[in-house]
Amino acid sequence: MSKYTNLTREELISRLESLELSAPSSPTSSTSRNLLHSRSPSFPSITISAPSKPPKTIKPPKTFHFAAHPTRHIALMIAYEGWPYSGLAIQADTAQGPVKTVESELLVALEKARLVEAGKGLEGAGYSRCGRTDRGVSGAGQVADLWVRSARRMGDGGAEVVGWREAEEPVVRPKKVEKPEDGEGESEEEKSQVKVLKKPKSQPAASPEATEFAYPRLLNAILPPSIRVLAWSPLPHPPVDPSLSSTKPSLSDPSSANPAASTSSSSDPTTSAYPDPQYLPFNSRFSCAYRHYKYAFHSPPTPSSPPLDIALMSEAAQLLVGEHDFRNFCKLDGSKQIESHKRGVLEAYFEKEGAFGEAREDSSLYVFNLIGTAFLWHQVRHIIAALFLVGARLESPSLISDLLDVGKNPSKPAYQMGEPVPLTLWRCGYTDKGLEWRYGGWDGGAEEEEEMEMENRRKAQEGRESLERVLESQRQEAELKAWQAGNMLRSLRETLGPMPPSSLSIGGNAGGAGGDGQGKGGEETPAVYSIGGGEVVITAKYKPVCDRPKGETPAVVNRKWREMREVKGRWKENARGKPKAGEEV
């Protein structure tokens, strides 16, 4: 029992007052707080902290399996500036590193876009090109064909897909797994197993808008500005020739479907696996009916030179038309082992153009057009060099006939070919292969174009506007740079006046074509003539082309190359059979 139980009210008050007087400070509030704390239950202290974030788990990148995707055979139209590159074709690496070419950049873009299988090169995609251009030479209508990844699926409801094949190794998707709800009537082993329910095959929903990848847009987003894919076309495959069922290349192999990928440069598939052209698949090189080259030049070629005689050049150019042996208009290459140098020229003519292709009579820019079925190495540049000599009146038009006469000139005389920068591969022509160029992903054919021409034309060119803007911007930039360079020349002429007469002669005989390097009275005079691209040759005495030293004939060049190959082969055999240092014989 408590000691305060028997105390009276007055005694309790007296007791509390004595306790208040004995407290150090704030007796009332302090005592009250102490009493409250002594009577309240005690709880353990709790520290609340912000929840810690789990560490981020970096997911490994998804493995892209190219063989799990369908592919199709398409053609690409490619334009490129030649001067930044060491030619069109991919070349082996040198001691200085990789060689930058147009096709090396194209391969990088194709692999980044996952349109071709990485690591297999262009050959692994059955790649073929129409014409190979050299260092500095540009292209405005180069055509290449290859097998690329496709977005289409069989039965997707879109237009009929052509030149298409299923994935080589389709992805096996996991099937739906379910356990039986009721195990009645089954053994314990059966109950413990998981039943795999087969998913019924479902056809894709019909979609009239089923489209393909917009291949030009994909590639142009990766390619450098100096290379552009202008269009693509589906490539239908021909019917199977039953008489060649055992020898016909299989479409499952890109290299066999493309004769250029499995044959040498001098072979012709029309004489081997495909004797009948109607059973030939499309091949950019062998299916081409003609190639159109353009070579631009200025007249006059120098400020002090008279204009070139375009009429004489046109007369000489007409002698090129037809099938001729062009061995004296090319550079010989023994590694090709070309036995026949006969090629066909369909047209050869000159046009007067403005700086950017518009027709302008006041322009000093001319374009030489050469259209033929096929061309030899550096053939166009040798032809324009000979025509420049005719235009400078250093040679007569008969120079062309003399160089085409291999009886009179069995090997090429020494003369300098034209510069590469003014040359471009303008068009590759295909007459009966059904190319239908488009920019976007629309995958319709000619039949749809007749029925819904305007709508399908819009779909086929979807995305073209952005490319137009880019190309027009590049054109304007080039035009402004040309204008600025021209300002220097205009300022010079305004400051110093007209150019005084030069002692240099455009030709040795000012009275007509076929100069002999002699001035009036038989006096020798220097001569200057153009080789294109703003470059000229100045010579103290001009020597006619057919009187110059001649090179080796094609037969001799081919024989020497074969002999050298045999010698190198013996060297390699001896090197393999020779014991290494320290080995016992």
Side-chain angles (χ1 to χ4, degrees), residues 18 61 89 108 124 217 238 244 256 292 307 371 380 431 434 457-458 460 463 492 495 506 552 562 580 582:
S18 62
V108 169
R217 295 176 64 183
L244 296 175
S256 65
H292 184 174
I371 305 174
V380 182
T431 56
R457 187 184 298 274
R458 181 191 65 79
L492 173 67
T495 304
I506 191 67
E552 297 173 327
R562 291 193 300 267
K580 296 179 182 179

Side-chain angles (χ1 to χ4, degrees), residues 352-371:
K352 201 169 188 179
E353 291 187 0
F356 295 96
E358 70 277 11
R360 285 182 55 184
E361 288 301 321
D362 61 337
S363 173
S364 65
L365 181 68
Y366 288 83
V367 173
F368 173 56
N369 294 267
L370 190 63
I371 305 174

Side-chain angles (χ1 to χ4, degrees), residues 295-327:
Y295 195 99
F297 62 94
H298 287 85
S299 176
T302 67
S304 59
S305 301
L308 295 171
D309 194 326
I310 303 299
L312 276 181
M313 295 174 71
S314 299
E315 180 184 341
Q318 291 310 304
L319 300 174
L320 297 164
V321 177
E323 187 178 65
H324 304 284
D325 190 322
F326 284 95
R327 67 176 65 185

